[in-house]
Amino acid sequence: MSERALEGLDEQQREAASVLRGPVCVLAGAGTGKTRVITRRIAHGVDTGAYSPGRVMAVTFTAKAAGEMRGRLRALGVEGVAARTFHATALAQLNFFWPQLANDTAPSIIDNKVRVLGQAADALRLRLDGATLRDVASRIEWRKVAMRTIEQDAAAHPEGLSQALDAHALAELQHRYEKLKDERRQLDFEDVLLACAGMLESEPRVAAAVHEQYRHLTVDEFQDVSPVQHRLLELWLGDRRDLCVVGDASQTIYSFAGADPHYLLEFADRYEDATVVRLERNYRSDPAILDVANALMRGRAGALELRSARRAGPVPVVTAYEDDGAEADGVAAAIAAQIAAGIEPDRIAVLYRANAQSAPLLAALAARGIAATVLGGKRFFDLPEVRQAVMALRGASVAPVETTFLAAVRDVLRSLGLTDDPPPAGGALRDAWEARAAVLRLAEEAPADMTLRRFTDELLARGRDQHEPSLRTVTLATLHAAKGLEWDHVHLVGLAEGLLPISYATGFEAIDEERRLTYVGITRAARTLSLSWSERSGARQRQRSRFLQEIGPGPIATGGRRPPAGRSAGPRRPGTGTPDAGDARATPAGRRPS
């Protein structure tokens, strides 16, 4: 029984999951199975009796990741582990202990920092537009995660925020904002961490209760912890050493939110007896894709050398386009060829640096009748079409069913507007159709003995855990939104100076962050990877990204240069470029030109 949780792990994964007492540091590269290791390690600890589930705290950074962790633990027969985000864990402790300490309920959480800042600005008779208020909100968030006072922040930024808001005015606005919150008994998102840390520091009996409750701590994505999160972790840990951290310094892409990879990089220095395990066997990507990723990060601090046991696949291709329109059209044509070759749309993604890059891509895909979904909008189970479907299915489950489960689900969804043939791509009607079709696919994949009642219960549970089904559409996503996800076929666009790295990234650290973002994009790809850039945006000329120079010509093939959309490429000379991307070949995009 004690070996059950270790079955199917490779040698390094098994080593990481077998060390049940900390300190442990797992350096887990992209696609190496870090979530698997975390959950198997906890399950192994429970199986062997080393852990009691209720005394395990596992923290991560997103509710979706926490939900996935709980789901995997349930599948391993482990219930009761506190798998939550940093903020959810801190808020739960505040809500539990605050009434005991203050004989009152805990403060409420403000849902809109900018609105309160606007009210504070009005009180000070400051006329600030929405963009400035959002910048002030970002400054407050940075200050708090860095654990700086208003005065310390003012000293560090004597220039203030803008001509309309000098350092003195900015400090006054922040003080007024804090006073408004205090008067209303409110906390903002960052205050939750600070208040929890303050409570643990000032109330020994609270710290003792937390230390008694949680004996074993695991932290996922440790490269992303901020100073305030690290301080909170220290307080949760106390003088104990049973801590396991998992992370990859090469995937630190949230420095703007306070993430500091040095906590991961220096973990073994802080704990000299720490067990350090490196996970470098990648189970996601073909070797040719990993060659590109390794070349980009070679020599960077904490970089892991990813390797794959797969056979070598198509060599990633980089293509230069004359302008942005040509790039969007060329990528759309390549995707059309992939779909024509039998690749499912939901196995394809287009990744980019900035949200504004999605518009021409959406238009080019819609022109070819290809449905696409932009990642980062509403969660699937919050979509009105999905909520309506769940409610209708719930209602239908009360009435006697005179047909099969699947037929009943189909009838309900048809009554809400699901048709056999999808509407044209590129509009709200198609988006709604795709959402309802995804609910139907979940029903089609359900066990033969499924009932409407159980089905709706499972839909609600999936919504709570953010276990979302995939829509059968091409995915468009920023590099930040793509973190933690994967697709068989990835098109990484905009590899030009000013886009990747972004124009406002100046200085070594900022450029290094852009390099890590590029690395994250590359490692999302499993089977094929295409890279592209455009030489011109309007009248403005561009240069290819320095990151393409760093990768070098070895790991990537050239796709030549493409003309603007609507202009014929003309005949191709032997040995130069590639056939037009609109050529509906059965060859997946990204294959080395022959």
Side-chain angles (χ1 to χ4, degrees):
M1 181 66 176
S2 64
E3 293 291 302
R4 176 185 65 92
L6 303 181
E7 293 175 358
L9 301 181
D10 67 32
E11 183 180 351
Q12 286 70 41
Q13 290 174 337
R14 189 181 182 92
E15 179 186 359
S18 299
V19 183
L20 298 179
R21 298 298 181 188
V24 178
C25 179
V26 182
L27 301 173
T32 59
K34 70 177 179 64
T35 306
R36 190 181 198 210
V37 167
I38 290 171
T39 52
R40 294 296 192 92
R41 181 177 182 270
I42 293 171
H44 183 53
V46 173
D47 283 352
T48 57
Y51 299 167
S52 172
R55 297 198 170 190
V56 177
M57 178 194 294
V59 289
T60 187
F61 284 83
T62 67
K64 183 174 183 178
E68 181 182 358
M69 200 179 296
R70 290 193 298 271
R72 292 202 191 191
L73 287 170
R74 276 197 303 270
L76 292 167
V78 178
E79 300 272 2
V81 170
R84 302 189 186 107
T85 64
F86 270 94
H87 282 85
T89 303
L91 185 59
Q93 292 179 9
L94 279 177
N95 287 333
F96 181 80
F97 290 109
W98 194 290
Q100 301 176 32
L101 300 173
N103 293 319
D104 198 356
T105 57
S108 61
I109 310 300
I110 63 173
D111 59 0
N112 192 319
K113 191 183 277 102
V114 172
R115 184 187 302 123
V116 180
L117 274 169
Q119 294 164 353
D122 288 344
L124 295 172
R125 298 186 178 182
L126 293 172
R127 299 178 62 84
L128 304 175
D129 59 21
T132 301
L133 290 172
R134 288 192 293 273
D135 284 346
V136 175
S138 296
R139 176 67 65 83
I140 290 173
E141 290 160 8
W142 172 262
R143 173 178 65 78
K144 290 186 177 183
V145 299
M147 301 182 71
R148 289 180 176 175
T149 65
I150 295 174
E151 288 69 31
Q152 288 170 333
D153 182 67
H157 300 93
E159 72 283 0
L161 195 63
S162 65
Q163 290 183 346
L165 205 61
D166 62 23
H168 176 73
L170 177 59
E172 285 295 305
L173 179 57
Q174 291 187 68
H175 279 297
R176 184 60 187 170
Y177 166 76
E178 297 298 333
K179 184 178 180 181
L180 271 180
K181 289 197 294 96
D182 290 344
E183 291 171 351
R184 298 170 182 179
R185 295 192 70 252
Q186 291 180 319
L187 301 176
D188 61 29
F189 197 59
E190 294 70 37
D191 288 334
V192 171
L193 301 181
L194 290 166
C196 187
M199 179 179 68
L200 290 166
E201 284 182 319
S202 62
E203 297 290 341
R205 63 191 178 98
V206 171
V210 171
H211 296 161
E212 176 63 24
Q213 175 68 51
Y214 298 113
R215 303 291 184 85
H216 318 285
L217 275 68
T218 298
V219 185
D220 188 17
E221 304 284 9
F222 194 63
Q223 76 277 355
D224 287 333
V225 296
S226 65
V228 67
Q229 288 166 333
H230 191 261
R231 178 56 185 150
L232 190 53
L233 180 62
E234 290 178 321
L235 293 165
W236 283 335
L237 191 63
D239 59 2
R240 297 163 303 161
R241 300 166 63 79
D242 200 354
L243 170 66
C244 173
V245 301
V246 183
D248 177 12
S250 295
Q251 296 189 71
T252 308
I253 60 173
Y254 295 108
S255 294
F256 64 89
D260 189 343
H262 290 97
Y263 296 123
L264 175 66
L265 294 172
E266 297 168 3
F267 187 87
D269 296 330
R270 179 169 185 171
Y271 299 98
E272 294 182 358
D273 60 337
T275 300
V276 179
V277 183
R278 298 168 69 92
L279 302 184
E280 296 178 301
R281 184 175 182 181
N282 178 288
Y283 290 91
R284 175 188 301 155
S285 305
D286 282 350
I289 295 170
L290 297 185
D291 287 345
V292 176
N294 290 332
L296 179 63
M297 296 306 293
R298 188 162 292 125
R300 317 311 297 183
L304 299 166
E305 186 75 14
L306 298 178
R307 60 185 185 276
S308 173
R310 297 180 182 274
R311 289 188 305 170
V315 173
V317 173
V318 58
T319 303
Y321 293 90
E322 187 166 320
D323 56 28
D324 292 340
E327 184 176 20
D329 193 62
V331 170
I335 290 172
Q338 289 176 321
I339 294 172
I343 294 170
E344 293 291 338
D346 60 338
R347 304 310 305 160
I348 303 170
V350 185
L351 307 182
Y352 40 81
R353 177 62 177 86
N355 282 308
Q357 292 170 263
S358 65
L361 291 162
L362 282 169
L365 289 167
R368 285 176 167 75
I370 301 171
T373 301
V374 178
L375 204 63
K378 276 193 173 182
R379 296 171 180 168
F380 178 80
F381 286 99
D382 289 338
L383 294 172
E385 297 82 14
V386 176
R387 294 168 67 91
Q388 182 188 42
V390 173
M391 290 176 62
L393 289 167
R394 194 71 162 178
S397 70
V398 177
V401 178
E402 299 178 357
T403 184
T404 64
F405 158 72
L406 188 56
V409 172
R410 190 176 286 113
D411 288 344
V412 169
L413 294 174
R414 284 184 188 280
S415 73
L416 298 175
L418 182 63
T419 57
D420 291 334
D421 298 318
L429 286 176
R430 179 59 175 267
D431 294 342
W433 186 93
E434 294 288 352
R436 294 182 183 118
V439 174
L440 179 59
R441 285 195 298 275
L442 290 176
E444 292 170 340
E445 296 164 2
D449 62 347
M450 181 60 72
T451 65
L452 276 177
R453 180 70 184 207
R454 276 176 49 209
F455 183 61
T456 54
D457 286 344
E458 289 190 5
L459 289 178
L460 293 169
R462 289 177 70 117
R464 286 191 297 271
D465 286 348
Q466 295 188 38
H467 181 197
E468 302 182 347
S470 62
L471 302 177
R472 286 191 177 167
T473 60
V474 173
T475 301
L476 272 61
T478 65
L479 293 169
H480 283 101
K483 175 79 162 57
L485 303 175
E486 62 181 81
W487 295 270
D488 284 346
H489 309 279
V490 168
H491 301 263
L492 179 52
V493 304
L495 275 155
E497 292 291 309
L499 285 176
L500 199 59
I502 199 81
S503 58
Y504 55 75
T506 57
F508 177 82
E509 290 297 334
I511 295 297
D512 222 29
E513 179 105 342
E514 297 291 301
R515 182 181 293 102
R516 295 191 294 266
L517 264 176
T518 308
Y519 175 83
V520 165
I522 291 168
T523 54
R524 299 311 94 197
R527 303 281 79 82
T528 68
L529 171 68
S530 74
L531 311 168
S532 64
W533 64 287
S534 63
E535 299 171 340
R536 182 166 50 83
S537 176
R540 189 172 67 254
Q541 292 296 122
R542 288 200 187 109
Q543 299 295 318
R544 75 198 306 250
S545 172
R546 69 192 73 187
F547 301 143
L548 291 174
Q549 309 283 1
E550 292 177 10
I551 293 168
I556 51 179
T558 178
R561 180 177 178 277
R562 304 291 174 83
R567 186 182 300 173
S568 171
R572 189 189 62 173
R573 290 179 296 168
T576 64
T578 59
D580 188 277
D583 186 12
R585 297 170 292 155
T587 307
R591 189 176 297 281
R592 182 192 292 273
S594 57

